[in-house]
Amino acid sequence: MSDCLFCKIVAKEIPAKIVLENEHTVAFRDINPGAPTHVLVVPRRHVINLSDEGADAELLGQVMSAARDVAKKEGLTDYRIAINNGAGVGQSVFHLHVHVLAGRAMSWPPG
Ligand code: 5GP
Ligand code: ZN
C-alpha cells in the first residue's frame, strides 16, 4: 500500500534500523522504544492486523517465527510478544506488526 508507513520501511523508502529480514518478513527497531529491546516484526505483504482476512496462518506463522528469530539473535531468553489489534487497544500503524519487548521488568496485565 503506497501510503502505509511500514510498507515504506519494507520497501526501504523510509530508513529503519533493521534487525533481521527474510523472504517474508522484516524486523526493525521501534523508533520510540518502550523497553531496552523493542523490535517490530512485520510481514512484507500488507495486511492490516489479525482481523484482516489476508492474515492467514502461513503469514502469521512467518511473523511469529521471525519474532522468535529476532529474540534468538538478540540473545533474549525472556521477552514479551504483543500485538495491538485495533485502534481501541492502541494500534496506531495499520500494517500488522508484532512487538518484541525485553530488558526490563514487566507487569501483567499490560496497561
Ligand atoms: P502500535 O501502536 O500500532 O501497536 O505500534 C506502532 C509502533 O510503531 C509504535 O511503537 C511506534 O513507536 C512505532 N513507529 C511509529 N512510526 C515509526 C517509524 O517511522 N519507524 C519506526 N521504526 N517505528 C515507528
Ligand atoms: Zn503496509
Side-chain angles (χ1 to χ4, degrees):
M1 261 187 49
S2 57
D3 61 344
C4 170
L5 175 63
F6 288 173
C7 280
K8 287 178 180 165
I9 288 178
V10 166
K12 307 264 171 70
E13 291 166 16
I14 290 178
K17 293 181 182 168
I18 307 276
V19 175
L20 200 144
E21 57 185 323
N22 63 28
E23 185 183 352
H24 302 292
T25 64
V26 179
F28 52 92
R29 299 201 189 278
D30 196 292
I31 204 166
N32 183 25
T37 300
H38 188 171
V39 177
L40 303 173
V41 183
V42 307
R44 289 187 185 274
R45 178 154 62 84
H46 180 89
V47 295
I48 295 167
N49 59 27
L50 291 174
S51 307
D52 187 326
E53 62 185 24
D56 55 31
E58 188 178 12
L59 179 141
L60 297 176
Q62 291 158 350
V63 171
M64 291 303 288
S65 296
R68 184 262 321 277
D69 294 346
V70 165
K72 188 173 182 189
K73 186 171 184 189
E74 294 284 297
L76 306 174
T77 54
D78 297 16
Y79 52 94
R80 180 167 290 174
I81 296 292
I83 297 174
N84 294 319
N85 201 72
V89 296
Q91 185 175 6
S92 61
V93 179
F94 291 87
H95 179 131
L96 176 68
H97 50 284
V98 170
H99 296 257
V100 181
L101 296 148
R104 63 166 170 80
M106 292 190 196
S107 59
W108 189 262

